[in-house]
Amino acid sequence: AMVSTQSTGNFGQLAKEHPWLLTEKLVCKPDQLIKRRGKLGLIKVNVGYDDAVEWITDRMGKEIQIEQCSGELNTFIIEPFVPHAQEDEYYVCIYSTKEGDTLYFYEEGGVDIGDVDAKAHRLDITIGNYPSAAEITEKLLTGVPDIRKPVVANFVASLFKLYSDLYFTYLEINPLVVTNNQIYALDMAAKLDDTADYLCGDKWKVSEFPAPFGRKSWPEEEYIKDLDEKSGASLKLTILNPDGRVWLMVAGGGASVIFSDTVCDMGGASEIANYGEYSGAPSESQTYEYAKTILSLMTRRPNELGKCLIIGGGIANFTNVASTFKGIVRALTEYKEQLVNNKVSIFVRRGGPNYQEGLQKMKNCGDMLGVPMYVFGPEEHMTSIVGMALGKTPIPETQEYKSGIKDNFLFGKHDVNRRSKNSECEQGEEPKEKKPRGDNMNKTPAPKPESRALSPAQYNLYDKTTTCFVYGLQLKAVQGMLDFDCACRRDIPSVAGIINPFSANHNVRLYFGSKEVNVPVYKNMSEAIQRHPEASVIISFASLRSAYTSTMEMLKYPENIKCIAIIAEGIPENLTKKVNKLAAEKGVSIVGPATVGGVKPGCFKIGNTGGMLDNILNSKLYRPGSVAYVSRSGGMSNELNNIISLNTNGVYEGVAIGGDRYPGTTFMDHIKRYNANPDVKMIVVLGEVGGIEEYEIVSAIKSGEISKEVVAWCIGTCADYFSTEVQFGHAGSSANSKSETASAKNLTLRNAGAHVPDSFDDLGKTIRKVYNELVDNGEIVPQEEVPPPQVPIDFKWAQELGLVRKQTSFISGICDERGEELLYAGVPMSDVIKENLGVGGVISLLWFQRRMPEWAYKFIELCLIVTADHGPAVSGAHNTIVTARAGKDLVSSLTSGLLTIGDRFGGALDESARQFSAAWQKGKTPLEFVNEMRNAHKYIQGIGHRVKSLNNPDQRVTALADFASANFPATPLFDYARQVERITTSKKPNLILNVDGAIATLFVDLLYQSGSFSAEEARDLIQIGCLNALFVAGRSIGFIGHYLDQKRLKQGLYRHPWDDIAYMTPANE
């Protein structure tokens, strides 16, 4: 039974729902992800219900301290007490590893079990296998009494199957009690792979997970979580200290961690208020909601010292920076007064597509807000604004950012000598003598062990002739790759074809430079490989749900495909491990999952890596440098490109292995390639908290297997400062032990001889220092920079940047679907619904481009009601019925009926309005009007009915007249028409004002009397024929009804009977 702060007053009800609570001895304990509850005195055993209630009540809502973390106890569980002896307790644990899973078992359990790793029996289970009861008995149960071995072995085997089938990544039971051949799990801790929700969410049947102890669950966090789940982008928010003075609004998973690291590294850990990120190209409205939520929290509790807001991020790959900044600017504008009152200073640093316009918007916003705002582009180191915000470094007097591609129409006219403002030695500083690796430890580097050197074919995943397939119709990414090819002066495009199972066997037109080329689209791998056997790389944009099956299909062609990049994030770990295992067996390199890819300057790039072409040129990715890097974070790979280009001669190759826990290739897989490649002179590694791959680098440096200079930094050092566990952006960025923390890794790497900066803020300086030493030693000889070729900018992108203009082919004045919300004549759809404008209001907006009084909306709806249908005998309905019975579809049947509308049927409204209006406006009396029309031998449109008369009035006209009398300010034209009716009915009683005439004249009155239109606008609307539209709209309802009626009745083909046709053919002579 579960007890929370919301249910403490309902212990009686709880006992009714669970009667066993009153009859059995009980155990009660908090359920808030607290480890070692027994040692902390947070478990009460062998008590009755009253004692359990008293024990829980005494602790419920109380704040306690556990190590460095304090928090409130608010959720408890009560379960039956199982009497047992100490020797009945056992320990079992299963956890996921890269190679499979590991099963631990020990014949002792409980709170005093001690060092499990040293004591327990261990069984490693390879991917895709299940241990048998016999294997478990042999390997694990040596200390279990023989009589218990069968039941325990069967239980553990079944437990492992459950663990695997339900996508657990960790499961620990301590103690596992075995008594009387019955097994009880008295306490359990487990982790589920939440990415597998689409596979087994129904089986989990978990409504909600408890928040970690020590961290309050905020409604704002739940709101952002809900936004994230409804969005294709990534939105994360964790409140750490609501009273903190430093608030973060950071783009990118990796960047969000790095900004938090830097705040903590600079002494701001106690003031950091939140952790979070927005990434994956969120829309303007999503960033607005995200920013508004943070600003609401930030301005809730003033501080005399003021606060700072850091709006940071790396260089985006494909996110339109200006677009996302629009949402942030909206939120800042809305909170102008609160920002001023809270003495907020704002620091902005961002790069990526259209960043110049985005930064200018932010700068303009700062001027408008009246609060200090400092804005920087990619020329400034990413985290330099943190030091400024914390007062650790001076703020430049002027903030400058280059206008980039807006200086010219063609890409290519860039500063080829672009370097960091700190890229040269400080004045008077002599180049330092190169120190051997490990000098800071007074160690001599170990000799490199003898091993078979890698061949060029092994250390080069791709070169200038590499071609690939792109899986998924990602035309923007493909075009970006072709632009990169052109900038690199490749002879042929790098994309051989596209594989798209949903739409195949055609070509898409893209550009290779200024030349238009056809890129073929294939339905499956076999067809693509048959046509292009030379292609050796696949870039997979398959969704997280289809990535596994499609990748397994790709691995059937290892003789052709040597590398697969998996972009999708959120593939279940079990499936990823199966892919990795098969790829290793086939000799195929996997980059990813959860990656942006990689780049080899001058040769080949994967998908969106490197961002837009202006960033590729700014970072000199069009030609190789001397520095190779490997990173977990795909978003940070662009920032590494920028940092390396500012501080060295550029990137030779870069790979983002992906943020999932089990990437297909590891840091060392790529570092070995780099170390074997003579063109690579130094290596940069950007690791992160979680996992142990960085220790493989440590071992390789110590053994001499890595002989080149390594600059390394692991992000996530801020985790040491947080009192509760925070899940960072990547699935793998979570430390399960002290050795997996970023701080431990950085220290170990430094001790091994790698060049490790004090913080990410110093990464560029460290890279520059090592590079300068290599130049001084002659290992790197800088080459004269060669400008890249000019590459035409895509017209759509140039148009978005405002660089070109084009005359439009169409003009639309009623509807706009381009923004975040559909607009009807400038009115958001949400307002249309919220204000209950109804069909009449929608017609008012879409037909007349304006709002009208509510009575006008109701009148329009009344017109639709009275014109909806007039039986099956009229020509339009008849045509619709005949066409429907001929087996035609709805649109064809409806159209056949609508085509009968004209002056003789239903189309008299416009002409009726014109005739009556003209006569009335000229001041003619009703009699003069009737006589004039008779003398001209013209019918008065809107007068006359085949069935209805003065003695049998048309109730539709009556309804219209009653509504107008009750709601219209005045009805001068309708009154005029009524006077005409008196004259015409004196001749014949059926020459009444019919429904067409009533609607026409009343609608003219609406136009003139509603106050929504000028006289000129009213005349124009009458002339262009808007009134017949009312009949068309209304009668379409009826025609559709007749179509559905005929289909429902299953009526067959209609043939008109002979006896209803007068045959008047010429007689036979």
Side-chain angles (χ1 to χ4, degrees):
M2 179 75 73
V3 182
S4 68
T5 50
Q6 285 75 35
S7 60
T8 50
N10 296 313
F11 283 110
Q13 180 63 32
L14 195 69
K16 289 181 181 178
E17 294 173 1
H18 305 282
W20 55 266
L21 289 170
L22 300 176
T23 59
E24 297 191 27
K25 290 296 183 179
L26 306 172
V27 175
C28 40
K29 53 194 172 184
D31 184 32
Q32 293 176 241
L33 307 183
I34 300 173
K35 299 177 182 178
R36 298 179 292 276
R37 288 172 293 188
K39 285 193 172 183
L40 294 170
L42 293 176
I43 298 178
K44 187 70 173 176
V45 300
N46 197 18
V47 296
Y49 187 55
D50 291 340
D51 291 336
V53 169
E54 181 181 356
W55 189 85
I56 292 173
T57 304
D58 287 345
R59 288 156 181 78
M60 182 70 75
K62 302 292 174 60
E63 187 164 307
I64 65 169
Q65 183 84 21
I66 299 178
E67 296 178 350
Q68 307 300 318
C69 183
S70 62
E72 182 184 283
L73 296 176
N74 53 39
T75 306
F76 290 77
I77 52 175
I78 308 174
E79 56 193 17
F81 171 68
V82 178
H84 64 277
Q86 179 63 41
E87 57 267 24
D88 296 332
E89 292 188 352
Y90 299 92
Y91 173 90
V92 63
C93 176
I94 314 170
Y95 66 88
S96 176
T97 66
K98 184 179 180 182
E99 294 76 22
D101 297 284
T102 296
L103 210 167
Y104 276 123
F105 187 89
Y106 191 51
E107 50 270 18
E108 295 178 13
V111 295
D112 297 319
I113 187 172
D115 186 354
V116 174
D117 290 338
K119 291 181 177 180
H121 309 290
R122 170 174 175 158
L123 176 61
D124 292 321
I125 302 147
T126 55
I127 296 166
N129 292 318
Y130 293 88
S132 65
E135 187 179 8
I136 290 169
T137 301
E138 179 186 353
K139 301 285 187 180
L140 302 179
L141 306 187
T142 55
V144 176
D146 290 343
I147 194 172
R148 287 181 172 176
K149 284 182 179 178
V151 67
V152 174
N154 288 326
F155 173 80
V156 174
S158 299
L159 182 68
F160 183 85
K161 188 174 187 309
L162 180 78
Y163 164 93
S164 181
D165 293 349
L166 293 186
Y167 289 79
F168 282 86
T169 60
Y170 179 85
L171 193 157
E172 179 189 57
I173 300 176
N174 182 34
L176 178 75
V177 168
V178 183
T179 177
N180 299 323
N181 276 337
Q182 295 291 318
I183 292 184
Y184 303 91
L186 295 196
D187 211 352
M188 185 183 80
K191 290 183 180 180
L192 290 168
D193 180 0
D194 61 356
T195 62
D197 182 71
Y198 74 96
L199 292 172
C200 50
D202 291 340
K203 297 177 183 177
W204 290 341
K205 291 183 169 43
V206 175
S207 57
E208 63 180 273
F209 294 99
F213 172 77
R215 188 168 65 78
K216 176 184 175 183
S217 180
W218 290 73
E220 288 83 1
E221 292 175 336
E222 292 300 316
Y223 177 65
I224 296 300
K225 181 182 177 183
D226 184 59
L227 278 181
D228 177 67
E229 290 172 351
K230 295 176 181 177
S231 163
S234 178
L235 303 168
K236 302 287 188 294
L237 177 63
T238 300
I239 309 302
L240 301 171
N241 175 12
D243 294 314
R245 296 178 53 237
V246 181
W247 290 79
L248 302 176
M249 196 184 302
V250 182
S256 64
V257 179
I258 290 171
F259 272 92
S260 299
D261 286 351
T262 309
V263 172
C264 294
D265 292 341
M266 290 188 171
S270 62
E271 293 290 358
I272 190 168
N274 69 304
Y275 168 79
E277 62 156 304
Y278 66 95
S279 59
S283 65
E284 178 185 335
S285 65
Q286 289 163 349
T287 51
Y288 164 72
E289 293 296 335
Y290 184 79
K292 189 173 68 168
T293 302
I294 291 177
L295 294 177
S296 169
L297 289 161
M298 181 185 190
T299 58
R300 204 169 288 175
R301 304 179 183 184
N303 188 299
E304 291 182 1
L305 299 176
K307 299 182 180 182
C308 61
L309 173 64
I310 296 174
I311 303 175
I315 300 172
N317 284 297
F318 51 85
T319 299
N320 187 328
V321 174
S323 178
T324 55
F325 273 7
K326 283 181 184 177
I328 296 176
V329 167
R330 278 177 57 197
L332 289 171
T333 304
E334 191 173 309
Y335 276 80
K336 176 181 178 180
E337 184 178 346
Q338 295 94 317
L339 291 169
V340 172
N341 293 339
N342 279 266
K343 303 176 187 176
V344 175
S345 298
I346 303 173
F347 297 81
V348 182
R349 192 276 187 183
R350 192 73 161 110
N354 207 9
Y355 79 89
Q356 300 92 344
E357 182 181 344
L359 296 182
Q360 189 60 51
K361 286 181 183 295
M362 294 299 292
K363 198 169 181 62
N364 295 341
C365 176
D367 294 340
M368 179 275 299
L369 290 175
V371 300
M373 181 182 286
Y374 308 95
V375 181
F376 303 91
E379 292 78 19
E380 193 72 32
H381 185 73
M382 187 179 83
T383 54
S384 62
I385 60 173
V386 174
M388 301 177 200
L390 297 179
K392 304 292 184 181
T393 56
I395 301 171
E397 292 185 6
T398 59
Q399 297 93 52
E400 296 181 359
Y401 45 88
K402 294 186 178 181
S403 58
I405 59 171
K406 291 205 172 190
D407 287 340
N408 54 81
F409 180 72
L410 296 178
F411 283 117
K413 299 178 182 178
H414 284 255
D415 179 8
V416 297
N417 296 312
R418 174 177 177 265
R419 295 292 298 276
S420 166
K421 60 187 178 184
N422 298 316
S423 61
E424 306 300 331
C425 294
E426 298 295 335
Q427 186 175 0
E429 181 184 351
E430 295 295 328
K432 295 181 180 178
E433 181 181 353
K434 182 185 177 185
K435 297 179 181 179
R437 186 194 315 277
D439 183 73
N440 58 335
M441 294 292 294
N442 296 316
K443 293 179 181 178
T444 302
K448 182 178 179 180
E450 291 187 12
S451 61
R452 185 170 62 84
L454 298 178
S455 67
Q458 292 172 309
Y459 63 65
N460 281 320
L461 281 181
Y462 14 73
D463 56 32
K464 206 161 188 172
T465 64
T466 298
T467 57
C468 72
F469 298 119
V470 173
Y471 190 94
L473 205 60
Q474 295 286 327
L475 300 185
K476 190 172 182 180
V478 174
Q479 183 62 70
M481 293 176 67
L482 299 186
D483 288 341
F484 175 83
D485 297 342
C486 187
C488 296
R489 295 185 169 90
R490 277 185 59 124
D491 295 326
I492 59 171
S494 59
V495 181
I498 297 170
I499 301 171
N500 184 35
F502 303 100
S503 173
N505 303 320
H506 66 279
N507 293 323
V508 292
R509 291 187 301 167
L510 297 168
Y511 287 94
F512 185 59
S514 58
K515 179 184 177 183
E516 199 166 18
V517 295
N518 284 328
V519 178
V521 181
Y522 302 106
K523 190 171 185 64
N524 52 50
M525 277 294 302
S526 60
E527 183 182 356
I529 289 287
Q530 186 178 359
R531 297 288 186 88
H532 305 278
E534 75 286 354
S536 60
V537 177
I538 297 179
I539 302 166
S540 174
F541 285 95
S543 70
L544 65 92
R545 293 172 183 247
S546 62
Y548 170 72
T549 54
S550 59
T551 305
M552 297 298 273
E553 174 70 18
M554 296 168 193
L555 289 171
K556 294 178 180 179
Y557 304 91
E559 64 278 4
N560 301 91
I561 303 303
K562 302 303 178 187
C563 178
I564 301 172
I566 305 173
I567 309 301
E569 182 178 2
I571 302 172
E573 289 181 7
N574 281 1
L575 301 183
T576 298
K577 292 194 290 186
K578 291 178 181 178
V579 167
N580 293 345
K581 179 185 177 185
L582 183 60
E585 293 170 356
K586 301 272 189 177
V588 177
S589 294
I590 300 289
V591 178
T595 183
V596 72
V599 62
K600 188 168 185 181
C603 295
F604 183 81
K605 92 176 183 100
I606 294 174
N608 293 307
T609 309
M612 301 290 286
L613 197 54
D614 58 337
N615 186 64
I616 287 168
L617 298 176
N618 277 333
S619 297
K620 304 186 182 75
L621 300 181
Y622 53 85
R623 76 340 173 239
S626 301
V627 184
Y629 71 81
V630 58
S631 166
R632 271 279 197 175
S633 169
M636 285 307 299
S637 63
N638 251 5
E639 198 58 45
L640 285 175
N641 292 331
N642 183 55
I643 292 171
I644 291 170
S645 71
L646 286 171
N647 294 286
T648 73
N649 65 349
V651 175
Y652 180 83
E653 184 182 339
V655 174
I657 62 173
D660 281 2
R661 192 160 186 83
Y662 304 115
T665 48
T666 65
F667 289 133
M668 277 304 297
D669 290 328
H670 296 285
I671 291 173
K672 287 177 183 178
R673 293 194 301 106
Y674 298 157
N675 196 67
N677 191 329
D679 294 325
V680 175
K681 304 302 181 183
M682 61 180 285
I683 300 167
V684 175
V685 178
L686 188 66
E688 66 179 29
V689 60
I692 58 173
E693 284 82 4
E694 291 84 354
Y695 291 101
E696 297 177 13
I697 304 173
V698 169
S699 298
I701 292 174
K702 288 181 176 180
S703 70
E705 185 179 3
I706 299 176
S707 58
K708 295 180 179 178
E709 301 294 338
V710 176
V711 177
W713 178 254
C714 296
I715 69 175
T717 55
C718 61
D720 298 344
Y721 298 91
F722 296 160
S723 58
T724 61
E725 182 178 337
V726 175
Q727 176 61 57
F728 298 120
H730 297 153
S733 55
S734 177
N736 293 320
S737 65
K738 187 174 181 179
S739 64
E740 291 190 18
T741 64
S743 299
K745 293 180 183 182
N746 286 329
L747 179 61
T748 308
L749 283 163
R750 181 181 288 117
N751 291 342
H755 302 272
V756 180
D758 292 331
S759 73
F760 181 85
D761 206 42
D762 295 325
L763 181 63
K765 298 173 186 176
T766 304
I767 291 172
R768 181 173 68 248
K769 177 178 177 293
V770 175
Y771 172 79
N772 286 342
E773 289 175 352
L774 293 173
V775 171
D776 294 341
N777 289 346
E779 293 184 39
I780 295 177
V781 180
Q783 303 295 313
E784 184 179 351
E785 192 67 59
V786 177
Q790 291 185 350
V791 182
I793 185 173
D794 180 74
F795 181 82
K796 287 185 178 179
W797 183 240
Q799 196 172 29
E800 191 169 340
L801 296 178
L803 300 178
V804 295
R805 60 190 179 199
K806 171 183 171 288
Q807 193 170 33
T808 57
S809 301
F810 291 93
I811 299 174
S812 174
I814 62 169
C815 187
D816 190 346
E817 79 285 11
R818 297 170 300 171
E820 297 303 321
E821 186 175 5
L822 186 65
L823 303 178
Y824 285 172
V827 179
M829 174 59 69
S830 58
D831 288 351
V832 172
I833 297 170
K834 192 190 318 179
E835 297 176 27
N836 197 25
L837 297 187
V839 175
V842 171
I843 288 176
S844 172
L845 294 171
L846 294 182
W847 290 9
F848 308 113
Q849 292 185 300
R850 68 202 62 198
R851 293 171 181 262
M852 292 194 289
E854 187 176 350
W855 60 263
Y857 301 157
K858 298 298 183 185
F859 177 72
I860 291 172
E861 292 172 2
L862 180 59
C863 291
L864 298 180
I865 292 170
V866 300
T867 60
D869 196 46
H870 203 215
V874 297
S875 58
H878 180 81
N879 266 24
T880 300
I881 292 169
V882 171
T883 309
R885 292 180 60 171
K888 300 294 284 184
D889 60 277
L890 171 63
V891 175
S892 301
S893 303
L894 175 62
T895 303
S896 72
L898 292 175
L899 289 174
T900 65
I901 296 176
D903 288 347
R904 294 188 177 184
F905 168 63
L909 278 77
D910 283 320
E911 188 57 29
S912 176
R914 294 188 191 107
Q915 289 178 355
F916 280 107
S917 295
W920 175 63
Q921 288 171 352
K922 290 177 181 177
K924 294 180 181 178
T925 65
L927 182 59
E928 288 173 337
F929 171 52
V930 172
N931 289 336
E932 182 181 275
M933 295 298 289
R934 182 179 58 200
N935 294 335
H937 305 292
K938 291 181 179 179
Y939 290 113
I940 300 176
Q941 298 296 322
I943 293 291
H945 201 284
R946 292 177 60 86
V947 178
K948 299 298 179 180
S949 65
L950 280 176
N951 301 319
N952 179 24
D954 190 338
Q955 294 303 316
R956 296 176 298 172
V957 175
T958 303
L960 291 166
D962 290 345
F963 181 88
S965 175
N967 295 281
F968 278 44
T971 55
L973 189 62
F974 179 70
D975 296 341
Y976 182 83
R978 282 294 205 188
Q979 295 174 36
V980 170
E981 180 188 44
R982 292 193 193 99
I983 297 170
T984 55
T985 52
S986 65
K987 179 182 177 183
K988 270 188 173 183
N990 69 326
L991 293 180
I992 58 171
L993 182 67
N994 59 33
V995 70
D996 290 354
I999 292 175
T1001 53
L1002 283 171
F1003 207 88
V1004 172
D1005 283 333
L1006 182 152
L1007 294 177
Y1008 281 102
Q1009 304 299 323
S1010 66
S1012 301
F1013 305 91
S1014 67
E1016 184 178 357
E1017 287 174 329
R1019 284 193 297 271
D1020 288 343
L1021 287 170
I1022 294 168
Q1023 292 303 315
I1024 63 177
C1026 69
L1027 278 77
N1028 274 355
L1030 283 172
F1031 183 84
V1032 171
R1035 193 52 58 93
S1036 292
I1037 299 170
F1039 290 169
I1040 292 171
H1042 286 296
Y1043 169 85
L1044 297 174
D1045 185 49
Q1046 295 301 307
K1047 294 296 184 182
R1048 184 168 52 248
L1049 296 172
K1050 296 181 173 56
Q1051 293 297 287
L1053 179 67
Y1054 175 79
R1055 182 181 177 87
H1056 203 70
W1058 293 342
D1059 58 5
D1060 195 37
I1061 301 172
Y1063 292 93
M1064 305 179 68
T1065 57
N1068 255 343
E1069 297 195 11

